Amino acid sequence: NAGVTQTPKFQVLKTGQSMTLQCAQDMNHNSMYWYRQDPGMGLRLIYYSASEGTTDKGEVPNGYNVSRLNKREFSLRLESAAPSQTSVYFCASGGGLAGETQYFGPGTRLLVL
Amino acid sequence: KQEVTQIPAALSVPEGENLVLNCSFTDSAIYNLQWFRQDPGKGLTSLLLIQSSQREQTSGRLNASLDKSSGRSTLYIAASQPGDSATYLCAVISSGSARQLTFGSGTQLTVLP
């Protein structure tokens, strides 16, 4: 039981390049989330998916797109990376209307030059 | 808009001390409140979840309380150990936004041997 897994662990991009961050969970959760964590600002929600086939914007969605590929997988895409997107990105699953806890992946550290 | 504040931003204590971490939120209409632990370079681990109808939750040496009317929560750690050194994050789910966790920026705890 791996929980929430993320790939890659670390990535360096040049401004304007694109990339997709991958996330998978094996806990059969309906809800999945993408957060970014910046120094001194806590975690902020980028996008979430309440169930397979649905996605909604969070607090900071600009510059990102997401895909809920199936119940297990939720990917985050940066179409044209900017230095302001340098951050640590966390995927999570669980939570939802039942009010259960969210389970977090280990994070992806992204540096945009 | 819900805002979550954690004070202090950093705390250093000698081993064995009992300590309290504070969390405050601006909108008392919350669904639940969670405390997480984050080790350096790692993801978040859920410690305690308090539903809005509850006043406190306990797990081992940890006790979290919730006072919705005053918009406050505390995390009490008894008999602190060096292994407790980590960043502790408080997060709330606001009513009407059942899936969106709003995080505080955390308290970095160092327990000195």
Side-chain angles (χ1 to χ4, degrees):
Chain A
N1 192 343
V4 180
T5 58
Q6 293 182 237
T7 55
K9 285 184 169 46
F10 180 71
Q11 184 73 46
V12 179
L13 291 179
K14 295 180 180 179
T15 297
Q17 288 185 320
S18 62
M19 78 163 294
T20 299
L21 283 65
Q22 306 286 355
C23 173
Q25 53 97 5
D26 61 3
M27 294 174 282
N28 202 37
H29 289 147
N30 286 317
S31 300
M32 297 185 73
Y33 315 81
W34 277 105
Y35 296 88
R36 61 178 288 173
Q37 185 176 33
D38 301 295
M41 298 193 71
L43 278 80
R44 292 179 293 168
L45 183 65
I46 304 171
Y47 271 94
Y48 67 96
S49 170
S51 61
E52 185 179 350
T54 69
T55 60
D56 286 285
K57 296 178 180 179
E59 182 183 354
V60 289
N62 291 344
Y64 304 95
N65 287 301
V66 291
S67 295
R68 184 73 182 268
L69 304 170
N70 47 56
K71 192 170 186 178
R72 290 187 62 250
E73 298 173 292
F74 188 36
S75 63
L76 178 71
R77 183 162 178 83
L78 287 70
E79 292 290 353
S80 179
S84 61
Q85 294 178 305
T86 293
S87 188
V88 182
Y89 292 86
F90 289 100
C91 177
S93 71
L97 291 174
E100 298 130 354
T101 192
Q102 291 185 17
Y103 296 86
F104 283 76
T108 294
R109 297 179 184 283
L110 176 65
L111 174 61
V112 183
L113 302 174
Chain B
K1 178 187 172 186
Q2 180 74 268
E3 292 183 3
V4 180
T5 303
Q6 292 185 247
I7 295 173
L11 180 64
S12 183
V13 300
E15 182 177 4
E17 271 204 6
N18 302 324
L19 59 100
V20 174
L21 306 180
N22 296 296
C23 172
S24 61
F25 45 94
T26 55
D27 184 351
S28 63
I30 64 168
Y31 195 73
N32 64 38
L33 181 144
Q34 299 179 50
W35 283 94
F36 292 89
R37 169 183 172 140
Q38 185 176 28
D39 293 289
K42 305 289 187 182
L44 280 68
T45 301
S46 178
L47 297 173
L48 291 163
L49 182 153
I50 309 177
Q51 302 290 356
S52 62
S53 58
Q54 297 175 319
R55 296 281 295 179
E56 65 178 333
Q57 281 286 341
T58 298
S59 176
R61 294 183 293 108
L62 305 179
N63 176 275
S65 67
L66 173 63
D67 183 342
K68 267 194 1 176
S69 60
S70 66
R72 293 181 181 178
S73 175
T74 61
L75 178 67
Y76 176 82
I77 302 177
S80 59
Q81 303 170 358
D84 295 329
S85 298
T87 296
Y88 291 81
L89 294 153
C90 166
V92 300
I93 293 182
S94 301
S95 299
S97 177
R99 295 178 182 87
Q100 297 199 28
L101 276 170
T102 301
F103 281 85
S105 53
T107 294
Q108 185 176 359
L109 173 66
T110 301
V111 181
L112 302 169

